[in-house]
């Protein structure tokens, strides 16, 4: 139980988000994947429909994750620089 509570806070922070931001991002991914899954099921029955929906969704979600990864690295670099600046000013 303690581990779950720790992860509840640590994971969003580790990706540079608040809990609310993480919730919105994760729900956005879930909804996009759900719509894509429904499109795939429809495509299974009628191959002429939704021919590129799943691949477009995967590309879009990948782009969102990669761009978020860059923001995460930038945020980590800012924290490192701020910590370095603080330790330099104390010296």
């Amino acid at each position: 139980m303690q581990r779950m509570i720790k992860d509840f806070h640590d994971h969003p922070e580790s990706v540079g988000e608040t809990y609310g931001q993480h919730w919105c991002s994760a729900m956005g991914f879930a909804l996009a994947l759900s719509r894509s899954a429904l499109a795939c099921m429809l495509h299974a029955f009628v191959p002429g429909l939704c021919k590129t929906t799943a691949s477009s969704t995967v590309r879009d979600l990948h782009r969102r994750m990669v761009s978020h990864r860059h923001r995460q690295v930038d945020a980590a670099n800012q924290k490192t620089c701020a910590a370095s600046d603080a330790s330099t000013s104390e010296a």
Side-chain angles (χ1 to χ4, degrees), residues 19-79:
Y19 173 79
Q21 290 168 327
H22 191 70
W23 186 91
C24 288
S25 180
M27 288 303 291
F29 273 68
L31 292 172
L33 289 168
S34 296
R35 283 191 306 268
S36 186
L38 290 172
C40 286
M41 286 184 241
L42 182 58
H43 177 75
F45 288 103
V46 185
L49 298 177
C50 306
K51 293 188 240 181
T52 61
T53 303
S55 58
S56 296
T57 300
V58 169
R59 274 193 301 276
D60 180 55
L61 293 177
H62 179 264
R63 181 191 53 76
R64 285 168 53 189
M65 285 189 110
V66 168
S67 68
H68 181 263
R69 212 174 287 142
H70 292 298
R71 288 193 311 268
Q72 179 183 346
V73 168
D74 291 343
N77 288 340
Q78 287 176 353
K79 283 182 182 178

